[in-house]
Amino acid sequence: MFDAEETPRPPGSDTEIESLAEFDTVTAKRSDLAGFRVQSVDLTARTPALLDTDTAGAVFLGCAMDPDAAAKVRADGALVFPPVPHLPFDPYRGALYSPAELFASLDEGYERTPDALSYAWFQRTSTDGDIFSSMLRSIHDDAVSDALDELLVGARVVGVMGGHAMARGTTEYQGAAVLGRTLARAGFTVATGGGPGAMEAANLGAYAAPFDDAMLGSALELLAKEPSFRPSVSQWARAAFEVRTRWPRGGTSVGIPTWFYGHEPPNAFANAIAKYFANATREDGLLARSNAGVVFLPGAAGTVQEIFDNATPNYYESRGTPTPMVLVDRAHWTERLPTWPLLQALARDRPMAARIALVDSVSEAPDALARMSSEV
């Protein structure tokens, strides 16, 4: 019987195999796969290798195989989780999503894309009490978290939070884009909630970082023709892909959206998208990975929640030294939604007091972030 606890993993090695190239490399060097996890790799063309390799103690997650190979792998004692048919997503995926993957078939309309189909599946299954569906969602989200951690090893991540209602073509949107570009050019990895509005603007700025300043101005003009994802997500997304087509190979950033808010499509400017079914997992994960600080642009209930989700571990120092928090727009955070006074009261006489700042404009955020970072 397979016992994961008793199967030693190969010492000092990456035990996750997430591509055919990795599979070929490992099987060329080893006669066994004990302790390895083969994750969502199509192995139908690797039957000879599977037949010649001892797979006892290995785990195969969503790997397509020839029937003879699958029978042999199971007979070896490997643990096999077969692919799940008729799903619009891969629960065992080994990498984050790309914009092209989530928006595939956009030419047929957004409702035909994997992103929209996955949301439709989520709507059908989220309240039906089916433990199989909930298990698939959990496996998917854990796989996404694993891929996100692998991507961000060694990165200095700054989170940029803000509302989805910020329209393209506005001064606020331009400011958020300039912020994202400034952070990316300073060597930070920009991470956002991955949706429209302020989130898209910050990811756009990071995408524009390798280009000259004129590129961002032209991109903003092009996007302003479709200011919102309402009424047409298709038109809104196509404008973003037109920018990507005109200026390919832009800078990198991360978007972390959720199907829980299915009315918010992901934006196409984050090159790596960690999309979750569970919003709580997504929000906590986004803030926890923002190890170089978080900038909070004006937003509503969701952004307020994120401020205090971030403040709590800073207050208790449960993640170590408090990380910088910069709130942008004094009037918004002291009058319209008076979050700042409460945040100040929480921070009083605690180490986090030196790690919070309120600024009037988005242009001041990078300097505030740098100042607090230098004091850590």
Side-chain angles (χ1 to χ4, degrees):
M1 179 179 293
F2 178 87
D3 189 332
E5 294 300 322
E6 295 179 1
T7 302
R9 296 195 182 192
S13 64
D14 179 3
T15 60
E16 293 180 5
I17 297 174
E18 298 166 340
S19 69
L20 273 178
E22 288 181 325
F23 180 85
D24 291 342
T25 297
V26 172
T27 54
K29 295 178 179 179
R30 300 173 58 96
S31 61
D32 71 280
L33 290 177
F36 280 88
R37 285 79 173 98
V38 190
Q39 192 172 348
S40 192
V41 180
D42 186 345
L43 298 173
T44 52
R46 294 297 185 272
T47 297
L50 289 169
L51 294 178
D52 290 341
T53 302
D54 181 3
T55 60
V59 179
F60 292 84
L61 300 165
C63 298
M65 301 182 207
D66 178 86
D68 290 341
K72 184 265 182 185
V73 165
R74 288 190 174 90
D76 280 349
L79 188 60
V80 178
F81 294 79
V84 181
H86 312 305
L87 284 178
F89 63 94
D90 178 5
Y92 304 111
R93 61 182 304 110
L96 299 183
Y97 293 97
S98 69
E101 182 180 2
L102 286 176
F103 285 101
S105 302
L106 181 62
D107 57 338
E108 301 174 24
Y110 172 69
E111 65 279 0
R112 300 300 305 161
T113 66
D115 185 65
L117 294 172
S118 295
Y119 176 55
W121 178 89
F122 178 51
Q123 283 187 304
R124 292 194 305 271
T125 64
S126 59
T127 59
D128 65 4
D130 182 1
I131 191 172
F132 183 59
S133 296
S134 62
M135 181 189 73
L136 291 174
R137 293 193 296 270
S138 296
I139 292 172
H140 169 275
D141 285 2
D142 192 65
V144 166
S145 291
D146 181 64
L148 184 58
D149 286 336
E150 291 174 355
L151 177 74
L152 296 179
V153 170
R156 295 187 300 155
V157 181
V158 173
V160 179
M161 311 298 161
H164 68 266
M166 184 184 289
R168 295 167 172 174
T170 63
T171 301
E172 292 77 12
Y173 186 95
Q174 179 181 359
V178 171
L179 171 65
R181 185 180 65 180
T182 300
L183 293 171
R185 286 178 173 177
F188 294 106
T189 296
V190 174
T192 78
M199 298 170 279
E200 180 188 57
N203 288 129
L204 166 65
Y207 186 86
F211 302 99
D212 61 21
D213 292 354
M215 174 270 175
L216 181 57
S218 298
L220 290 169
E221 288 182 10
L222 193 158
L223 293 171
K225 298 175 183 178
E226 297 292 340
S228 174
F229 62 94
R230 295 189 178 100
S232 173
V233 175
S234 298
Q235 293 299 107
W236 173 85
R238 285 170 185 149
F241 280 101
E242 184 174 348
V243 169
R244 293 182 62 99
T245 299
R246 290 194 187 185
W247 296 278
R249 297 179 295 280
T252 60
S253 66
V254 177
I256 307 181
T258 174
W259 280 295
F260 183 81
Y261 296 127
H263 61 285
E264 292 184 16
N267 77 72
F269 293 111
N271 67 301
I273 301 175
K275 190 150 192 178
Y276 288 89
F277 288 106
N279 185 52
T281 304
R282 164 251 192 175
E283 285 196 346
D284 182 71
L286 170 55
L287 294 166
R289 290 172 176 87
S290 297
N291 54 20
V294 183
V295 178
F296 296 93
L297 302 176
T303 310
V304 171
Q305 178 177 325
E306 289 162 348
I307 288 172
F308 291 106
D309 279 348
N310 197 51
T312 300
N314 280 347
Y315 179 88
Y316 290 110
E317 299 182 65
S318 56
R319 294 178 186 146
T321 302
T323 51
M325 300 175 64
V326 181
L327 277 62
V328 175
D329 192 328
R330 190 175 304 274
H332 185 84
W333 296 121
T334 61
E335 299 172 17
R336 287 188 285 277
L337 294 174
T339 303
W340 175 250
L342 178 54
L343 187 61
Q344 275 190 308
L346 279 172
R348 189 174 297 123
D349 299 325
R350 303 186 74 88
M352 71 176 286
R355 305 288 181 260
I356 63 172
L358 176 66
V359 298
D360 291 306
S361 68
V362 70
S363 63
E364 300 172 78
D367 286 343
L369 193 68
R371 172 178 54 79
M372 289 189 289
S373 298
S374 67
E375 296 172 356
V376 173

